[in-house]
Amino acid sequence: MGNIIGGGIFLLPASVAPYGTISLVAFGVLTLGAIALALVFGRLAHRHPATGGPYVYAREAFGDFAGFLTAWSYWATTWVSNAALAVAAVGYLDVLVPLHGSTAATLGAALLLQWLPALANLAGTRYVGAVQLVATVLKFLPLLLVAVSGLFFFDSANLGPFRAGGESSLGAVSASAAILLFSYLGVESAAVSAGEVRDPRRNVGRATVLGTLAAALLYLLTTLSVFGTVPHERLVASDAPFTDAVDLMFGGSWGGTAVACMALVSMVGALNGWTLLSAQTPYAAARDGLFPKAFARKRRGVPTVGVVVTVVLASLLTVYNYTSGTQRVFETLVLVTTFTATVPYLLSSAAQLYFLLSGQSDRVHRPRLVRDTVLALASFGFSLWLVAGSGYAAVYQGVLFLFAGVLVFAWMSARRRRAAAGEAAVRHPSAHPPRPCDGRRPRTSRRRPTGVRSGR
């Protein structure tokens, strides 16, 4: 639940407000889809309780290439979402330290918010856990405050139109759901760390389903409260919707400032946890030879190379989005993350279908076959629908990330094949006679034994 409730929820009410209150319908549909995904991940973790989550399932079902694409896409999801979290955190930092719309100051703050959690990760898992504990406690306070208090200050006149944009109802639901998915990222995180959990066959499934249900309930209440307390026109332009909601509930600015502080701590904590999580999947893939070996190195329990590479890539993406003239940086990053996140979801759902329909008795629980098949089909269709709702720009950028990964896979596969051939040559030297340095085969002597005449 702590991984699911990161920082995105603190900005998402303003991000979906341009679509109107129909986005609440999208939230309901998204919740059902997220629960289906949670149930699928719970069943998969029961069958394969190993660190790596979606990567493990896709590789087991479809081979190395599918496993690599899953690991690559999930890794891209983590560092792109870290960039988006930093952008969201800057919006609340602006409440405390006015940046006055300066691009340089905003960019510097976003980069600082990414590198501080990375340094905490490099210091070791003990510091990661301490930061995460404080952040998890503080993140629930503003959410519960808005969720409960908002019901007493709710005014239906603030809701605005049901469908504010020019899209069709289906288009508005799909587009807003694609943005809202960012708030549910982390539904798979218990499965990713299954190898580190006590009794994972039992506990990972429970944590995934119960955490998703609890987060969904809190999300729906808080979003509804913000919609009902902040006027629609103000909400659309807001960079800190929870701060605006508390200010309007209690008057003055003290409440909003307090919420901004807690939201900022929550987002830094989310960045702290996701930075560590971003290194776990490359670590698992590197152990299998699908990622460079450097990603498999650990220091103080942390895959340090994965942490450093992740924060560098997130920083470069943040710089690009702030300097390219993009007006809605957070929404752009969120939609890219939605596409890259759906690739592991699609492949995990397909892997579950493969396990169920292939008749592998060690993986299929027969009495639950129909239920599990329906859930896998629902989660696959749900993930495909999210890809369609991401938009052309997000799919375009996401596909570029995937295609770049294909080149890495070709390089790693060639290295593995060459290494395997070298090991075979060492084990069986007679099967591979040495060749001259010019690459030609050694000449065999044509000299006839003494005393043997030619056949002519």
Side-chain angles (χ1 to χ4, degrees):
M1 186 177 180
N3 278 349
I4 295 173
I5 302 177
I9 185 59
F10 290 100
L11 198 59
L12 285 174
S15 300
V16 297
Y19 298 103
T21 53
I22 195 173
S23 57
L24 295 175
V25 177
F27 228 138
V29 175
L30 186 66
T31 299
L32 294 177
I35 292 172
L37 276 173
L39 290 168
V40 169
F41 278 118
R43 296 301 303 158
L44 286 168
H46 183 268
R47 297 183 183 101
H48 299 282
T51 297
Y55 157 74
V56 173
Y57 315 142
R59 183 170 183 259
E60 179 71 19
F62 308 121
D64 286 347
F65 185 63
F68 173 83
L69 278 184
T70 302
W72 180 267
S73 184
Y74 189 75
W75 182 50
T77 298
T78 56
W79 57 263
V80 174
S81 65
N82 281 358
L85 273 173
V87 171
V90 167
Y92 283 91
L93 179 64
D94 191 45
V95 176
L96 307 174
V97 183
L99 303 175
H100 303 294
S102 169
T103 301
T106 303
L107 177 59
L111 294 177
L112 181 64
L113 289 168
Q114 293 177 46
W115 278 93
L116 287 178
L119 294 175
N121 272 267
L122 294 175
T125 53
R126 176 182 299 179
Y127 296 95
V128 176
V131 173
Q132 204 67 5
L133 178 62
V134 175
T136 300
V137 173
L138 289 179
K139 77 172 60 177
F140 290 113
L141 296 179
L143 292 173
L144 290 173
L145 175 65
V146 173
V148 176
S149 302
L151 300 178
F152 297 96
F153 294 90
F154 189 90
D155 185 355
S156 59
N158 293 326
L159 293 176
F162 179 70
R163 187 160 51 89
E167 302 91 348
S168 64
S169 297
L170 181 60
V173 170
S174 298
S176 53
I179 295 176
L180 289 168
L181 175 67
F182 183 77
S183 61
Y184 278 104
L185 291 182
V187 66
E188 74 293 329
S189 59
V192 171
S193 302
E196 320 300 329
V197 177
R198 181 184 302 147
D199 193 8
R201 296 182 186 276
R202 177 174 179 267
N203 290 329
V204 169
R206 284 187 169 189
T208 302
V209 175
L210 294 178
T212 302
L213 286 172
L217 178 61
L218 194 57
Y219 280 169
L220 289 171
L221 288 176
T222 53
T223 304
L224 183 62
S225 295
V226 171
F227 270 45
T229 53
V230 182
H232 181 261
E233 296 77 12
R234 180 174 175 178
L235 182 60
V236 170
S238 176
D239 289 327
F242 278 70
T243 292
D244 293 339
V246 174
D247 284 343
L248 290 170
M249 289 179 198
F250 303 107
S253 60
W254 66 268
T257 301
V259 168
C261 288
M262 289 182 283
L264 188 61
V265 171
S266 172
M267 292 182 190
V268 172
L271 281 166
N272 180 65
W274 274 98
T275 300
L276 178 62
L277 191 63
S278 67
Q280 293 290 349
T281 300
Y283 168 76
R287 288 188 306 174
D288 295 330
L290 298 181
F291 262 52
K293 289 183 179 180
F295 285 90
R297 298 173 187 166
K298 276 190 173 184
R299 184 184 178 193
R300 298 175 182 173
V302 177
T304 52
V305 173
V307 169
V308 172
V309 174
T310 293
V311 71
V312 168
L313 290 173
S315 299
L316 292 175
L317 184 60
T318 303
V319 171
Y320 167 75
N321 277 278
Y322 270 116
T323 57
S324 63
T326 304
Q327 296 297 318
R328 299 178 70 85
V329 178
F330 179 77
E331 287 79 359
T332 301
L333 293 174
V334 164
L335 287 174
V336 173
T337 306
T338 298
F339 174 78
T340 55
T342 52
V343 174
Y345 294 167
L346 282 167
L347 289 172
S348 296
S349 301
Q352 173 72 335
L353 286 170
Y354 168 79
F355 294 144
L356 293 170
L357 301 180
S358 62
Q360 300 181 47
S361 58
D362 59 326
R363 296 187 178 95
V364 179
H365 195 284
R366 296 295 180 181
R368 299 176 182 173
L369 177 61
V370 174
R371 187 202 68 180
D372 287 352
T373 302
V374 171
L375 284 173
L377 287 171
S379 63
F380 186 89
F382 171 70
S383 301
L384 203 60
W385 172 59
L386 289 173
V387 172
S390 299
Y392 293 108
V395 173
Y396 167 75
Q397 294 185 52
V399 167
L400 288 180
F401 284 133
L402 290 182
F403 284 175
V406 172
L407 184 62
V408 176
F409 178 79
W411 172 52
M412 294 302 301
S413 296
R415 290 188 60 183
R416 291 174 64 199
R417 177 65 63 87
R418 189 164 56 247
E423 291 177 2
V426 171
R427 287 195 300 266
H428 306 287
S430 60
H432 300 274
R435 295 188 177 187
C437 60
D438 61 0
R440 294 177 297 177
R441 289 184 177 274
R443 285 189 171 186
T444 57
S445 175
R446 296 180 178 273
R447 185 176 178 181
R448 291 187 295 272
T450 305
V452 178
R453 298 183 62 183
S454 169
R456 297 176 65 187

